[in-house]
Amino acid sequence: MAITFDHVNFTYQPNSPFAATGLKDVNLTLPDGSFTAIIGHTGSGKSTLVQHLNGLLKPTSGQVQVDDFTLTSTTSNRHLKDLHQHVGMVFQFPENQLFDQTVVKDIAFGPLNFGFDENTAHDMAVQAAKTVGLPDNVLERSPFELSGGQMRRVAIAGVLASQPRVLVLDEPTAGLDPLGREHMMQMFEQLHEEQQLTVVLVTHQMDDVADYADQAVVMGHGEVLKAGAPQTIFNDPQWVYDQQLDFPTATKFAFQLQQKGFSFNQLPLTEQQLADQLADQLPAMDGKGR
Amino acid sequence: MAAMIEVKNLTYHYPEVAQPALDHISLTVEQGEWVAIVGHNGSGKSTLVRAIDGLVDFSEGEVTVAGIKLTPDSVWDVRKQIGMVFQNPDNQFVGATVADDVAFGLENAGIPRDKMIQKVDAALKQVDMAAFSDREPSRLSGGQKQRVALAGIIAMNPSIIVLDEATSMLDPHGRQTVMDVITKLRQSEKAPTIISITHDLDEAARAQRLIVVNDGQQLATGKPAEIFANEALLASSGLAQPFSTRLARSLAQQGSVHPDHYLSDTEMEDWLWQSHLTM
Ligand SMILES: Nc1ncnc2c1ncn2[C@@H]1O[C@H](COP(=O)(O)OP(=O)(O)OP(=O)(O)O)[C@@H](O)[C@H]1O
Ligand SMILES: Nc1ncnc2c1ncn2[C@@H]1O[C@H](COP(=O)(O)OP(=O)(O)OP(=O)(O)O)[C@@H](O)[C@H]1O
Ligand SMILES: [Mg+2]
Ligand SMILES: [Mg+2]
């Protein structure tokens, strides 16, 4: 199975003077077990796109297929509960997905709702809170009386505790401290590798695209502008600039070094790729050439 | 230089939370200075700037802003000095449309209508949001909301600008725009004092000074290069290693020459090129 978008259009507030285009004729395939990064300028339709994956939004026309689930304009909400278990979504603003009285209840909601008994759900919640690095002393507090990064962690924990098969992450590391960002991305990567979760990541961090994604989709004004391996996307620098995108840190660094006289066979996207190619152009540590 | 913001021995407990969010913290920000505040999630950064803006009823300590001691009576005079972008822009919007929202502060300040419209237009243009002036702020994308919040501050042109993770959801181009706006403001006659809270270390590196907050206290302060050179400090305060440090380590693992102390990106480029030439 896989995720497919088939001629999907979406309009916000249709048939009103405020009608605004969200998506325009989107056609996409995200293979089962893939890790896809969705990138593109502010307002390009990334959040609109991924909110179709768990039925939060339904296509105005066209069809979205998520494994066994089919979504069209007429799909009724009654059919969505199983989809909500199948697809876990971390919203762009964590405040918009928190709701319960305490942090631990908020995280336990998914497991409870999907059939686990109270004790098990509680234990799963405590475990998930630990995994995302929440301090113990926040568990019994209101999820709204936390710092921004702590709320983000609660939202992620709630999604993990529901053990979804598809993980949709809308800028999941915005608001996390730098170490938290690294840990969280590595954890998503691990879930992807070990449990073959399909991961869809919306991000403005080109380093995350380079480090984790096997496919990148570039959105612009509600349309898919390009889809392909990160290497393919970044290999066209002028196009990347024109889309108001950026390059991974290692790539920008390599561009600067190129100006000085270093040469690279293949454009480095990650720090490791850069180090590999640089090492060949530097003396060895023991002072001998290579 | 005169102190623009002085925080002395400030302590604050949120109701019914045992651990203090601010724990006898003291710091000074000079007039015209650009300071970035960094630190792990929950360390007290937002609480600190909210306290400076008189939004937190602290139990102990003292805050002085532009020479005005913060008290219940002076709080409005203090707030007039400060333009703040909150961590979640949704908590900030008051206007029914984007234009109304950006105009709100100007209206309160009694700016005449034609001048106000001019300022609102100019501010929205600076953040690429002019086309959205009639839209409802709540019905925008995340990055569009952050741009509108920033426009509100640009229009006001206050003497103190506080940005609480104001660029966290901007696209790379938008981030660059904000950095350019800050640079331009700093060169202007008014040269505002700027405090930016950020988890983006590249952004932090552009400030004149970093303040590292940990458990409601100032753990360290110094030039970005000084802080980035201190690996133990970085690890203990939720900060990651800068790119150049990680690259140096990978080069070491490859058995290649590598610098043995922190270098900024540009210094690292020069260092690598010099080493290459010795081959
Ligand atoms: N409304 C609130 N009620 C109770 N406690 C709160 C509230 N807001 C924050 N806290 C607590 O106060 C401490 C400091 O929070 P603060 O928001 O200042 O952190 P921060 O450094 O801004 O973190 P982040 O990087 O996550 O935004 C945290 O432990 C947090 O849980
Ligand atoms: N609730 C809404 N009502 C009307 N229009 C909306 C709504 N939400 C988003 N839009 C519009 O739809 C377009 C796409 O928005 P979307 O949130 O998908 O962008 P995005 O790519 O996620 O941007 P960002 O990087 O800023 O989060 C934008 O022009 C936005 O103004
Ligand atoms: Mg979005
Ligand atoms: Mg904060």
Side-chain angles (χ1 to χ4, degrees):
Chain A
M1 298 306 288
I3 297 171
T4 56
F5 283 72
D6 186 12
H7 296 289
V8 172
N9 290 283
F10 181 80
T11 309
Y12 283 102
Q13 298 174 279
N15 312 318
S16 85
F18 308 105
T21 304
L23 296 177
K24 257 191 288 192
D25 194 30
V26 169
N27 295 289
L28 270 181
T29 302
L30 315 181
D32 204 18
S34 59
F35 195 129
T36 303
I38 314 279
I39 57 182
H41 65 78
T42 296
S44 58
K46 304 179 296 296
S47 295
T48 309
L49 180 81
V50 298
Q51 286 177 69
H52 280 76
L53 294 174
N54 74 345
L56 218 55
L57 298 177
K58 284 173 235 161
T60 307
S61 69
Q63 178 175 314
V64 177
Q65 185 81 32
V66 181
D67 298 332
D68 291 330
F69 303 87
T70 306
L71 277 168
T72 66
S73 62
T74 56
T75 306
S76 82
N77 288 337
R78 268 183 300 123
H79 292 110
L80 295 180
K81 186 177 170 195
D82 290 343
L83 180 62
H84 287 155
Q85 180 169 16
H86 188 75
V87 180
M89 168 131 171
V90 177
F91 293 11
Q92 185 162 7
F93 290 99
E95 286 89 336
N96 298 348
Q97 89 187 97
L98 303 175
F99 62 96
D100 221 322
Q101 282 166 349
T102 68
V103 167
V104 74
K105 280 187 185 161
D106 203 295
I107 302 174
F109 175 81
L112 260 184
N113 197 28
F114 302 137
F116 290 96
D117 66 70
E118 204 137 331
N119 280 338
T120 315
H122 179 89
D123 291 347
M124 289 165 87
V126 172
Q127 184 52 44
K130 206 174 250 136
T131 308
V132 300
L134 279 167
D136 289 343
N137 64 9
V138 305
L139 292 185
E140 295 302 329
R141 279 170 40 197
S142 157
F144 297 101
E145 292 172 358
L146 297 178
S147 81
Q150 290 169 339
M151 287 190 214
R152 171 71 73 193
R153 290 169 195 255
V154 176
I156 293 174
V159 168
L160 294 180
S162 301
Q163 306 185 324
R165 293 301 308 158
V166 177
L167 205 49
V168 180
L169 309 163
D170 196 349
E171 303 193 35
T173 60
L176 291 183
D177 57 50
L179 273 187
R181 186 172 287 190
E182 258 179 48
H183 288 159
M184 218 63 93
M185 285 309 300
Q186 279 161 9
M187 184 188 71
F188 297 141
E189 160 90 345
Q190 202 180 346
L191 286 169
H192 166 68
E193 295 275 313
E194 289 175 3
Q195 302 176 26
Q196 285 78 48
L197 295 197
T198 305
V199 180
V200 183
L201 169 76
V202 176
T203 185
H204 290 300
Q205 312 290 330
M206 299 304 138
D207 286 351
D208 290 345
V209 180
D211 289 341
Y212 302 105
D214 40 50
Q215 171 177 227
V217 173
V218 186
M219 299 293 294
H221 302 286
E223 294 180 90
V224 174
L225 300 179
K226 222 179 219 186
Q231 192 77 41
T232 321
I233 307 274
F234 290 119
N235 253 329
D236 189 351
Q238 190 55 49
W239 190 84
V240 170
Y241 281 123
D242 290 346
Q243 303 315 315
Q244 316 201 338
L245 296 173
D246 199 2
F247 292 90
T249 312
T251 312
K252 285 189 280 192
F253 204 88
F255 286 151
Q256 294 300 321
L257 290 175
Q258 264 173 345
Q259 307 231 318
K260 292 197 189 293
F262 280 96
S263 62
F264 301 98
N265 302 330
Q266 203 189 20
L267 196 60
L269 298 187
T270 65
E271 180 253 314
Q272 201 57 53
Q273 291 168 3
L274 177 64
D276 287 350
Q277 292 199 53
L278 270 181
D280 294 338
Q281 304 179 58
L282 291 171
M285 223 174 336
D286 54 17
K288 296 190 200 96
R290 284 163 189 259
Chain B
M1 265 204 196
M4 191 63 165
I5 297 170
E6 268 189 289
V7 172
K8 271 197 210 136
N9 215 20
L10 194 64
T11 296
Y12 178 68
H13 283 263
Y14 283 98
E16 292 165 52
V17 179
Q19 218 188 0
L22 298 175
D23 188 4
H24 300 92
I25 189 168
S26 299
L27 53 92
T28 305
V29 180
E30 304 292 336
Q31 183 172 3
E33 198 181 15
W34 176 11
V35 172
I37 303 182
V38 296
H40 67 77
N41 290 137
S43 57
K45 304 179 297 296
S46 296
T47 308
L48 173 66
V49 295
R50 286 161 49 83
I52 293 170
D53 202 29
L55 291 165
V56 156
D57 198 5
F58 49 86
S59 49
E60 211 182 307
E62 218 176 274
V63 172
T64 310
V65 176
I68 311 166
K69 184 171 170 217
L70 180 62
T71 64
D73 290 331
S74 71
V75 65
W76 291 105
D77 294 325
V78 165
R79 272 187 212 157
K80 253 189 248 165
Q81 308 285 325
I82 302 176
M84 173 134 126
V85 177
F86 290 92
Q87 190 161 356
N88 181 343
D90 282 325
N91 297 342
Q92 173 137 23
F93 295 133
V94 286
T97 67
V98 164
D100 283 354
D101 198 82
V102 177
F104 182 77
L106 298 171
E107 218 163 2
N108 276 354
I111 309 278
R113 198 176 153 74
D114 49 339
K115 191 129 190 233
M116 183 174 87
I117 293 174
Q118 238 175 36
K119 281 183 187 250
V120 170
D121 284 351
L124 284 174
K125 268 206 195 87
Q126 275 211 49
V127 298
D128 279 341
M129 285 297 288
F132 293 80
S133 61
D134 295 332
R135 292 275 295 270
E136 244 179 277
S138 63
R139 292 179 171 276
L140 295 173
S141 80
Q144 289 169 341
K145 286 177 182 175
Q146 285 195 323
R147 286 172 190 239
V148 172
L150 283 159
I153 304 308
I154 293 172
M156 283 295 287
N157 193 14
S159 35
I160 299 170
I161 296 178
V162 179
L163 306 175
D164 192 351
E165 298 189 39
T167 62
S168 63
M169 291 176 186
L170 294 184
D171 59 21
H173 179 76
R175 267 167 215 246
Q176 187 53 47
T177 307
V178 174
M179 290 300 120
D180 293 346
V181 168
I182 291 182
T183 309
K184 213 163 105 190
L185 285 172
R186 286 175 46 73
Q187 289 160 351
S188 71
E189 215 168 310
K190 191 162 176 182
T193 305
I194 298 174
I195 299 182
S196 55
I197 298 177
T198 182
H199 293 300
D200 179 337
L201 297 184
D202 290 332
E203 204 174 295
R206 303 209 198 183
Q208 284 170 289
R209 182 159 66 92
L210 297 191
I211 292 177
V212 184
V213 176
N214 198 31
D215 292 341
Q217 297 175 333
Q218 175 177 298
L219 185 63
T221 184
K223 292 205 176 79
E226 289 164 8
I227 303 288
F228 290 145
N230 189 338
E231 289 197 29
L233 174 68
L234 294 179
S236 65
S237 47
L239 303 174
Q241 288 176 330
F243 182 78
S244 57
T245 306
R246 285 184 288 132
L247 181 61
R249 199 182 42 216
S250 293
L251 288 172
Q253 279 163 6
Q254 298 265 6
S256 161
V257 292
H258 57 276
D260 59 1
H261 59 282
Y262 169 78
L263 296 177
S264 72
D265 282 3
T266 359
E267 288 165 347
M268 180 80 168
E269 286 156 18
D270 290 335
W271 191 95
L272 289 169
W273 181 240
Q274 291 308 321
S275 309
H276 173 70
L277 291 179
T278 66
M279 259 180 99

